[in-house]
Amino acid sequence: MLKTTLAGLRAHKLRLLLTSLAITLGVGFIAGTFVLTDTIQASFTQQIAASADKVDVAVLPSPSDKPSPLTAADLDKIRTATGVAEAQGIVQGDAPLIGKDGKVVGDFPTAGVSIVTGRLGRTEVTSGAAPSAADQAVLDKDTAKTRGFKIGDTVQVLDHAGKPHAFHVVGLFDAGIDQRIAYTGAVGFTTEAAQAMTGEKGFREIDVAAAAGVTPQALKTAVSSALAGAGHKVRTGDELADELAKANGADMQFITLGLLMFGVVAMLVAALVIYNTFNILVAQRAREMALLRCIGATRKQVFGSVLLESAVVGVIASLLGLVVGYGLGWGAIAVAGAMGQELPAVAVSLAPRTIGLALAIGVVVTVGAALLPARTATRVAPIAALRTQTGEQTFKAGVLRMVFAALFLVAGVGTTAAGVMATPGPQALFIVMAGGVLTFCAVLILGPVIVRPLSVFAGWLPAKLSGVPGRLAVDNSRRNPKRSATTTVALTIGVTLMTLISVITATTRATVTAQLDSQFPVDYMVMSQGALEGAGGPGGVPRELAAGLRARPELASVVQIRQGEARVGRADYQVGTYDGPYKVVAQKGSTQGFTGTNAIVGTTAAKRLGAQPGGTLALATPKAGTVNVKVIAIFDDSAPLPGITVPPDAFEKWFGHVNDDQVLVNAKDGVASDVARKAVEAAAQDYPAAKVVSSTEIRGQFDDMLNTMLMVITGLLGLAILISLLGIANTLSLSVHERTRESALLRALGLTRPQLRRMLSLEALILGLIGAIVGVVLGGAFGWAATQTLVADVLFRLPVTQVLLFVALSGLAGVLAALLPGRRAARASIVGSLASD
């Protein structure tokens, strides 16, 4: 049996290759994910090790929600500890860099860091020199490149009070492993200048070098003793490197899991393709297996031969998948490098874990998918060897199939309904997802039942337009509903997920846009750097700016928003106020009487605090101590207001004279947008930290984010679509072989070669449309259900154009998948095909 199985594989190399492709792509994606993330992790580990190698002991603030910074007193204690040769504190805070346009660069403040030189110098100055005087600075090389600065330039940097200072650029440095610096950019100073610019009184970290003959462990003990009772973390250089590597590894693990989700979908689709392929192969080889039974092969041997063939396919496909995965990982890293993401020179390699997992997944999925076909093979009776040809089994929907389908359908619909009716949030979304899985199981069971009516529906127009080839194609797609259902379900998975994501994206865009229109009806915003993301800017926006805006004749209204921090219970909350003609839309209660010590609260803060209109909150404020406020209304979080908003007079008493956090501006009716924009920018010109953003730009940024997300997810799901189309091509190829005599008879009766090719293309078109139709219905339905779990008032949108595009592309891809099988069938000899058994 072993020799027979291997001989069969050698005799059908093309069949083996086609069968392997689906698993190859699935394994390749999974292996590529590990290659990419392992290489990135290795590059960071190399950087971390090189950085931490210069430190014998590092002291870090105590781990807590608000860690206390290391103080100068702590540094003095460390320097007097036994075995300490040198100790240096590292300063890091906000120090916004002003660009050549006179405005701060980036959406977030650049970091101000101290550059330590000598033995403990962990910052790599790539060109020039480290700062040695108070008026000297270095820039990280990426910021210098993007902002057009070079060594020898003079740059302006804002201090913690928003006052500009001039510095001479004497060098450029590498941001290294610091992810914040890599994102925001950084300016490096001497330690004293860094403290003066950032306003930081303490240190983010203190690095310690050991005296000659002192081991890092002994130094750690001495430093810990010197800081006894302070609660700070003391780590050796190796321990620090391990912690940093683990923290980065946790981030990479999240990325890995996210990518592997798409790999799992791809492997599920591949398993369905393999299952269908082996089902057809077993049906085609019924006489061969019956003959083996006649000459003495047992059921167990037949079963083992099919599994052996699947194992060989799994091994070959997995090995090819490893090669594909290595190429995908290498290509992704090359693309990242071309986009400016520099990585250290770390070899792209396949880790033993990746090889083991890829081989195990590929073989297990392939063999698992072949189990049921192998079991079917054991039922072939020896007498079948005497038949001239094997007939197709007539499908009948059994009672058991219908009962299980009904149970899954009822459970799925009920679970989904429970998720839709639940309070919007992650839990409701997970319930809907569970309902979707159960419903899909019902559709999977009912697949052979619904294929026949869907074939008539999807094939109605092709049959009308194409005459005999079209009618034959419809009949062929219906003649074996189990095979057709299994072929199309792979495509259904991909189209369902793509439609689901498209519906969620379109609905989210419409809902957020409507909320912005109702809660954020302004033309322009002026804010301190980072305020849009809630980070706040250094010193905020001076109130004089709002006065200057009100003096501009082109502008109609100006609203100032200020905020501070107050403790409510055991947590800190943003408390603020607004000054100007802004109308708050209340979800609960009323904003009438918003004076004195009354307050309005955002939905998220209200939920956390259990606040309702008529209730009271105790605010621990910096200027007035604890004050009690009465909640009169709850407003939607989409409004540009702090979570707890109080009247302007009360805010002034409780928080003092605070600069504006944001200024909302509306242009007068009839004023052109470019004229109004110039008026706002002119008023803000003297305030470098004040950034002007239009509401149109915010919507554009949000749309860009959604479009990017949709493009990435669609690209990743495209792998599942590709595998499913390979399944259609493979099924048609095997079906063409199975129907060799039938095709020859049709040719003999007058069907031309182009008509035969057209028949097979239309058959593939119908199969593609069936998968797309089911996928669109499921994706649209569960897309709607998922959107109901996002927010309370959602505006559902079905992206009709995208949905129709999915259907059209699925049908077109099916036609393309049929080109080679159709060409092969048309080229076959009529006489030779009729003479074949």
Side-chain angles (χ1 to χ4, degrees):
M1 288 300 295
L2 176 61
K3 291 181 179 179
T4 302
T5 302
L6 296 178
L9 287 170
R10 287 194 298 269
H12 301 91
K13 296 182 181 67
L14 180 60
R15 185 180 72 191
L16 175 65
L17 177 62
L18 288 174
T19 307
S20 303
L21 273 177
I23 295 296
T24 297
L25 291 175
V27 170
F29 189 90
I30 292 175
T33 296
F34 281 117
V35 168
L36 173 64
T37 53
D38 285 349
T39 302
I40 294 175
Q41 178 63 34
S43 71
F44 275 103
T45 301
Q46 184 185 83
Q47 286 181 312
I48 290 166
S51 176
D53 187 55
K54 299 179 180 180
V55 177
D56 292 312
V57 165
V59 182
L60 305 170
S62 57
S64 64
D65 293 337
K66 284 193 171 183
S68 301
L70 298 161
T71 65
D74 293 326
L75 180 59
D76 291 337
K77 291 178 182 177
I78 292 170
R79 284 173 172 168
T80 58
T82 304
V84 173
E86 184 182 351
Q88 296 288 346
I90 297 175
V91 178
Q92 188 176 99
D94 291 340
L97 174 68
I98 299 176
K100 293 188 175 182
D101 60 352
K103 292 291 183 179
V104 289
V105 301
D107 293 329
F108 292 90
T110 48
V113 299
S114 60
I115 304 297
V116 176
T117 57
R119 179 177 173 181
L120 290 172
R122 294 166 60 184
T123 304
E124 180 186 359
V125 178
T126 57
S127 59
S132 57
D135 63 344
Q136 294 180 348
V138 291
L139 301 178
D140 78 276
K141 58 183 182 181
D142 292 330
T143 298
K145 180 180 179 181
T146 57
R147 302 301 173 180
F149 292 117
K150 61 183 183 299
I151 296 175
D153 287 348
T154 298
V155 296
Q156 296 281 328
V157 184
L158 299 181
D159 63 16
H160 60 95
K163 182 181 177 181
H165 297 263
F167 291 89
H168 300 294
V169 179
V170 295
L172 306 177
F173 70 95
D174 189 350
I177 62 174
D178 195 314
Q179 296 300 296
R180 180 199 169 186
I181 290 178
Y183 182 70
T184 65
V187 186
F189 312 96
T190 62
T191 299
E192 293 75 16
Q195 288 178 320
M197 291 297 295
T198 63
E200 297 289 336
K201 303 301 181 184
F203 305 104
R204 188 193 67 167
E205 179 180 326
I206 296 177
D207 293 337
V208 188
V214 179
T215 65
Q217 197 62 45
L219 183 62
K220 176 183 175 180
T221 302
V223 171
S224 298
S225 299
L227 295 173
H232 300 310
K233 293 196 301 181
V234 182
R235 300 288 186 266
T236 65
D238 290 340
E239 291 170 346
L240 176 64
D242 289 341
E243 285 190 6
L244 292 173
K246 287 178 181 177
N248 185 72
D251 293 338
M252 292 308 303
Q253 186 178 23
F254 180 78
I255 296 173
T256 303
L257 290 175
L259 290 174
L260 286 180
M261 287 177 60
F262 296 96
V264 169
V265 172
M267 289 305 296
L268 175 61
V269 173
L272 291 169
V273 170
I274 293 295
Y275 167 76
N276 206 34
T277 300
F278 274 96
N279 252 340
I280 299 172
L281 291 176
V282 167
Q284 289 179 355
R285 293 158 57 191
R287 292 186 65 200
E288 174 188 327
M289 292 177 181
L291 183 60
L292 289 173
R293 292 291 311 282
C294 284
I295 62 176
T298 64
R299 290 176 182 268
K300 187 176 180 180
Q301 286 176 316
V302 172
F303 182 81
S305 70
V306 176
L307 289 190
L308 176 61
E309 184 172 341
S310 69
V312 172
V313 170
V315 170
I316 293 174
S318 300
L319 291 173
L320 290 173
L322 282 171
V323 176
V324 171
Y326 183 88
L328 288 174
W330 181 87
I333 292 169
V335 170
M339 295 176 65
Q341 300 294 324
E342 295 185 14
L343 294 174
V346 177
V348 180
S349 59
L350 287 169
R353 175 206 59 187
T354 303
I355 296 174
L357 276 176
L359 289 174
I361 291 172
V363 173
V364 168
V365 168
T366 307
V367 174
L371 281 175
L372 286 179
R375 183 169 174 268
T376 302
T378 64
R379 297 176 178 175
V380 178
I383 194 65
L386 302 177
R387 299 172 185 160
T388 57
Q389 61 182 12
T390 56
E392 293 184 358
Q393 294 182 350
T394 303
F395 171 77
K396 293 183 179 180
V399 175
L400 197 61
R401 177 185 294 273
M402 301 307 293
V403 168
F404 272 102
L407 290 175
F408 273 108
L409 188 61
V410 170
V413 173
T415 304
T416 304
V420 170
M421 291 185 292
T423 303
Q427 185 176 0
L429 179 60
F430 288 137
I431 295 174
V432 167
M433 289 171 60
V437 172
L438 291 171
T439 305
F440 188 82
C441 289
V443 173
L444 192 62
I445 296 171
L446 286 173
V449 178
I450 63 178
V451 156
R452 283 179 171 170
L454 284 178
S455 296
V456 175
F457 174 75
W460 178 80
L461 186 60
K464 288 288 184 183
L465 296 178
S466 300
V468 173
R471 292 195 294 274
L472 288 172
V474 174
D475 289 340
N476 285 336
S477 64
R478 301 176 62 219
R479 66 193 295 181
N480 195 329
K482 287 184 68 175
R483 179 190 302 172
S484 297
T486 311
T487 302
T488 58
V489 76
L491 182 61
T492 297
I493 292 174
V495 175
T496 297
L497 293 174
M498 291 176 68
T499 305
L500 175 72
I501 296 301
S502 298
V503 168
I504 292 175
T505 302
T507 301
T508 302
R509 180 182 286 114
T511 302
V512 172
T513 300
Q515 288 178 341
L516 284 173
D517 288 339
S518 62
Q519 297 283 349
F520 210 180
V522 296
D523 296 321
Y524 302 98
M525 291 175 294
V526 184
M527 65 192 72
S528 58
Q529 189 180 51
L532 184 60
E533 301 293 336
V541 178
R543 295 193 189 184
E544 293 79 11
L545 174 57
L549 289 168
R550 289 191 175 98
R552 304 292 302 196
E554 302 91 343
L555 308 178
S557 64
V558 177
V559 179
Q560 299 165 262
I561 297 176
R562 295 185 283 276
Q563 65 180 14
E565 194 174 82
R567 180 164 286 268
V568 185
R570 297 183 178 180
D572 292 327
Y573 288 83
Q574 293 298 316
V575 178
T577 189
Y578 67 92
D579 187 2
Y582 181 79
K583 184 178 180 180
V584 181
V585 179
Q587 285 190 340
K588 295 180 181 179
S590 172
T591 56
Q592 294 293 326
F594 183 52
T595 58
T597 59
N598 292 332
I600 55 177
V601 183
T603 51
T604 300
K607 185 177 180 180
R608 289 177 60 189
L609 292 167
Q612 293 292 336
T616 59
L617 296 175
L619 310 182
T621 64
K623 297 292 184 181
T626 301
V627 295
N628 293 317
V629 297
K630 180 182 179 182
V631 179
I632 61 171
I634 307 296
F635 63 87
D636 191 89
D637 285 333
S638 60
L641 299 176
I644 302 173
T645 301
V646 299
D649 293 340
F651 182 86
E652 195 84 9
K653 293 177 184 177
W654 301 341
F655 292 88
H657 187 85
V658 177
N659 281 340
D660 294 330
D661 190 65
Q662 298 179 35
V663 181
L664 314 182
V665 184
N666 267 328
K668 282 185 177 179
D669 293 338
V671 176
S673 59
D674 57 336
V675 175
R677 176 69 182 250
K678 289 179 181 178
V680 177
E681 290 179 341
Q685 185 62 41
D686 294 334
Y687 306 95
K691 299 176 72 70
V692 179
V693 182
S694 70
S695 55
T696 302
E697 290 172 351
I698 292 178
R699 290 177 177 82
Q701 291 171 1
F702 183 76
D703 283 345
D704 290 343
M705 179 190 70
L706 286 178
N707 290 335
T708 301
M709 180 185 73
L710 180 62
M711 181 178 66
V712 170
I713 293 177
T714 301
L716 293 173
L717 288 177
L719 178 66
I721 300 291
L722 175 61
I723 293 175
S724 64
L725 294 177
L726 284 174
I728 293 177
N730 206 13
T731 300
L732 283 175
S733 296
L734 295 170
S735 180
V736 163
H737 174 74
E738 187 179 63
R739 291 164 13 203
T740 300
R741 297 187 66 192
E742 177 187 315
S743 298
L745 182 60
L746 289 172
R747 290 282 314 284
L749 292 174
L751 199 69
T752 64
R753 287 183 174 179
Q755 286 179 319
L756 181 61
R757 287 197 297 267
R758 194 181 313 142
M759 179 191 76
L760 293 172
S761 295
L762 290 174
E763 184 178 343
L765 169 67
I766 293 169
L767 291 176
L769 290 177
I770 290 172
I773 290 169
V774 177
V776 164
V777 171
L778 289 175
F782 286 96
W784 172 84
T787 57
Q788 303 307 303
T789 68
L790 299 178
V791 293
D793 299 317
V794 67
L795 297 177
F796 177 73
R797 293 291 184 271
L798 179 66
V800 177
T801 303
Q802 287 183 347
V803 167
L804 292 177
L805 182 62
F806 292 155
V807 175
L809 289 178
S810 297
L812 176 62
V815 172
L816 294 176
L819 290 179
L820 287 179
R823 185 168 176 266
R824 178 186 173 191
R827 293 177 62 183
S829 166
I830 297 177
V831 176
S833 299
L834 288 173
S836 64
D837 287 335

